[in-house]
Amino acid sequence: MSRSSFSPRVSGDGASHTSRRSKTDVSVAVNSPEFEAEVAAAAPFLRGSVLTAAIAFVAGTGFTLFGYDQGVMSALLTAKQFEDVFPQVVVNSNDPGNHATLQSFVVAIYEIGCLIGALSNLWVGDWLGRRKTIVLGGIIMIIGAILQTTSFSYAQMTSTVPSYHAECSPAARRGSLIMIEGSLITFGIMISSDPSQWIDFAFFWLSGSSAQWRVPIALQIVLAIIMISGISFLPESPRWLAKHGRNAEALAVISALDGKPHKDPAVEQTYHGIREAIAAESHFGSDTSPLREVFTNGRSQNFRRAFLGVVVQCFQQITGINLITYYATLLFERLGIDDVKSRIIAAANGTEYFLASLVAIALIDRIGRRPLMLFGAVGQTITMVLLAVLGSIDTSGTQVASAVLLFVFNSFFAVGWLGMTWLYPAEIVGLRIRAPANAFSTASNWTFNFMVVMVTGPSFNNISWGTYIVFAALNAFIIPIVYFFFPETAGRSLEDMDVVFALAYNEGMSPVKVSLRKDVPPAGSPEADEILGISGHDGSVRDDGSRTAEKV
């Protein structure tokens, strides 16, 4: 295969000292017969909308599993057979005071496992690739479900699936496609707790058998097997392939995702935009690991972008959503509703949560990420304030109103924050640091998830409705942070965001202001090349996407 040189001199901030290449030169790398043959040989079996749908299905199965895992414990905590096997989680006036803490720990330990899995992607994610990491996560989950199901005493995937889906989605529909994952989280929660033919409520009636709680937990395995089986028919992320020098495969996958020939101008621009993003992010030198680059700034603003991903995941958890997700049945029982009715209302709450999440799918790519986050945070703040006020009054009428407000809170969260925190970290960071940055952001989610779930039981036991005041303050804190520091990503490719941050750095402006401008050139254009500073001496790009560079 012919290779053209690409070795510009790079300044301290990663800027090239060479002239930019012309649009006609970008086709050089894909014109050789050998490269054409490699592209043809690497073509995926599925193409176009069928491939996009298949990726959405597999990614969605993973997030349905995620939601099911979260929701399944809500009703099991008060199941008779579960209490018989794990009496340490029973909380009432006759039991030791540490039972509330132990109950919270049984729920929250799930987050610790997820945290370990997320942090493992600091090293595993880029090494194995997106597909293999998802398979590994599924296998570990199956093993964990088996251990849970067979328990008799008290004793990676979420950071990879969004990246894989985002890297395989078109810019114009990326938001809505990944918001579907958020909706499927709520679908998983819903099927794990909804009435009649659905799962927890159905098995609630098996009060004489441990199948009452063992079967709902074991059903996780079915979803994990579907996910693992489905991923075997899908291609690897084109961005991961290009990053690892497998350029023919990357171009073949882009062509398949777009449903167009690989010489189509739109396909070539996407391909070269990815290659250029890799080149722009390689100015630290090949001996610098992506993990270390997370903590750098300069033109790429890596640390700022990674930190935004960490913060948005933290914000999702400190809203207080898991007061409801994990403790729905207990919350309704605390409002004076009997055992069966509290389960029915909790199940209806899960159904409404799922239906509300569908609104975000329709809006996310039309009005953008920032408006939805702000809308959700404002609504959540008001709802938490009202829950605190009603909780302080505590009459039969206010209990009914409080139950309704839990539905209202779910609605605001589903529209503004449910899927957003899986979408935003995947699209805000650059390709080279995407795996470690998403590992950190997902670790943030599970860390704060653990914190919230762990303190909820003791908090309600000690300060009761005052718990809602704490979360009202936290939701209010989110509003100005999002407004002043979170750039808009709607309508831009993943590589376009590199241009947005580079332009903000070059002009000394806030990335938020730049992201709202309409004159930012798209990745792959000569204007974007100049902003990124990646033009080659001879106006071409090497086939492996590499470059020589001076260390910063």
Side-chain angles (χ1 to χ4, degrees):
M1 186 190 313
S2 63
R3 294 180 180 269
S4 54
S5 68
F6 184 71
S7 54
R9 176 179 170 81
V10 182
S11 66
D13 64 356
S16 170
H17 293 293
T18 57
S19 61
R20 70 189 182 192
R21 62 182 171 77
S22 67
K23 292 282 286 184
T24 56
D25 291 324
V26 300
S27 61
V28 173
V30 296
N31 277 343
S32 73
E34 291 182 19
F35 189 84
E36 296 275 350
E38 287 184 42
V39 173
F45 174 71
L46 303 175
R47 294 184 63 83
S49 59
V50 175
L51 177 57
T52 301
I55 292 171
F57 173 77
V58 173
T61 301
F63 271 81
T64 302
L65 174 57
F66 169 31
Y68 184 90
D69 285 344
Q70 286 192 303
V72 73
M73 288 303 297
S74 173
L76 295 184
L77 285 175
T78 55
K80 180 181 179 300
Q81 284 293 319
F82 191 82
E83 291 179 341
D84 288 346
V85 177
F86 306 104
Q88 298 92 333
V89 303
V90 178
V91 180
N92 57 50
S93 58
N94 299 321
D95 294 303
N98 69 336
H99 277 208
T101 301
L102 291 173
Q103 183 190 73
S104 293
F105 188 71
V106 165
V107 178
I109 195 65
Y110 165 71
E111 274 69 48
I112 295 299
C114 293
L115 172 63
I116 294 170
L119 289 176
S120 71
N121 269 342
L122 291 172
W123 301 275
V124 173
D126 263 337
W127 176 52
L128 288 180
R130 313 308 190 225
R131 294 169 70 248
K132 291 179 181 178
T133 303
I134 292 170
V135 170
L136 177 62
I139 292 171
I140 293 172
M141 185 164 282
I142 290 172
I143 295 171
I146 293 171
L147 293 175
Q148 284 180 302
T149 304
T150 56
S151 295
F152 283 93
S153 64
Y154 181 89
Q156 302 161 308
M157 182 186 67
T158 53
S159 69
T160 304
V161 172
S163 295
Y164 176 67
H165 201 181
E167 291 177 353
C168 294
S169 299
R173 294 192 296 141
R174 184 175 63 245
S176 59
L177 287 170
I178 295 180
M179 279 298 185
I180 291 173
E181 294 177 2
S183 294
L184 289 171
I185 294 175
T186 64
F187 179 73
I189 293 170
M190 179 180 69
I191 65 173
S192 71
S193 59
D194 227 348
S196 65
Q197 79 251 26
W198 296 346
I199 294 165
D200 273 2
F201 189 81
F203 282 91
F204 168 69
W205 302 104
L206 298 178
S207 57
S209 169
S210 63
Q212 184 186 48
W213 64 271
R214 295 188 192 276
V215 173
I217 290 178
L219 287 175
Q220 302 171 73
I221 297 171
V222 176
L223 292 170
I225 290 173
I226 293 173
M227 181 183 68
I228 293 171
S229 301
I231 199 72
S232 64
F233 295 97
L234 301 179
E236 181 55 85
S237 158
R239 289 164 171 87
W240 184 85
L241 291 169
K243 181 179 177 180
H244 288 77
R246 295 161 63 174
N247 293 294
E249 294 174 66
L251 182 57
V253 173
I254 295 169
S255 170
L257 289 168
D258 285 0
K260 300 174 181 176
H262 71 270
K263 288 193 173 182
D264 184 271
V267 172
E268 288 199 348
Q269 178 158 341
T270 300
Y271 169 70
H272 288 297
I274 293 170
R275 294 274 306 285
E276 290 162 357
I278 295 168
E281 293 170 358
S282 298
H283 63 268
F284 294 99
S286 58
D287 58 338
T288 303
S289 71
L291 178 57
R292 289 179 61 188
E293 289 184 27
V294 169
F295 301 98
T296 63
N297 267 311
R299 180 176 292 187
S300 61
Q301 300 197 57
N302 285 338
F303 181 75
R304 177 178 189 145
R305 297 163 75 178
F307 189 67
L308 284 172
V310 169
V311 170
V312 77
Q313 289 277 24
C314 163
F315 281 176
Q316 185 194 56
Q317 294 307 314
I318 65 174
T319 60
I321 183 59
N322 283 323
L323 295 179
I324 305 169
T325 301
Y326 289 107
Y327 294 103
T329 304
L330 288 172
L331 286 176
F332 290 120
E333 287 183 1
R334 284 192 176 107
L335 292 174
I337 302 169
D338 68 57
D339 192 21
V340 174
K341 288 181 181 177
S342 67
R343 290 170 184 276
I344 294 174
I345 296 173
N349 183 269
T351 302
E352 187 275 338
Y353 190 17
F354 168 66
L355 295 175
S357 71
L358 300 178
V359 175
I361 297 174
L363 296 179
I364 185 67
D365 285 319
R366 296 182 181 181
I367 68 175
R369 284 55 163 160
R370 284 164 48 86
L372 289 188
M373 285 191 277
L374 291 169
F375 169 79
V378 170
Q380 290 157 195
T381 301
I382 295 170
T383 306
M384 284 292 183
V385 170
L386 292 175
L387 281 167
V389 172
L390 294 174
S392 66
I393 299 171
D394 195 25
T395 65
S396 59
T398 59
Q399 288 174 351
V400 172
S402 295
V404 172
L405 284 174
L406 292 177
F407 282 73
V408 173
F409 183 89
N410 268 4
S411 299
F412 280 117
F413 180 85
V415 173
W417 286 90
L418 173 63
M420 189 71 68
T421 50
W422 304 106
L423 166 67
Y424 200 78
E427 60 184 8
I428 199 68
V429 299
L431 174 59
R432 184 167 170 82
I433 66 163
R434 187 163 294 137
N438 282 348
F440 279 125
S441 67
T442 307
S444 167
N445 181 286
W446 295 119
T447 300
F448 285 94
N449 195 329
F450 174 82
M451 180 193 74
V452 169
V453 175
M454 194 67 199
V455 304
T456 294
S459 180
F460 271 108
N461 271 1
N462 288 295
I463 63 174
S464 186
W465 54 267
T467 304
Y468 294 122
I469 295 178
V470 174
F471 285 104
L474 291 171
N475 277 283
F477 171 74
I478 290 172
I479 298 168
I481 303 300
V482 170
Y483 184 82
F484 290 109
F485 297 105
F486 279 57
E488 182 58 70
T489 59
R492 301 190 187 277
S493 73
L494 300 181
E495 289 69 40
D496 286 343
M497 294 310 299
D498 295 328
V499 181
V500 167
F501 280 94
L503 184 58
Y505 178 84
N506 293 346
E507 297 183 356
M509 293 182 62
S510 164
V512 175
K513 292 182 178 179
V514 175
S515 72
L516 299 174
R517 285 165 46 176
K518 304 298 183 183
D519 62 342
V520 179
S525 66
E527 295 79 11
D529 294 350
E530 185 173 351
I531 292 169
L532 294 169
I534 56 172
S535 302
H537 286 301
D538 62 352
S540 60
V541 180
R542 282 181 53 175
D543 288 339
D544 61 0
S546 65
R547 60 187 287 174
T548 60
E550 295 179 345
K551 290 185 179 179
V552 175

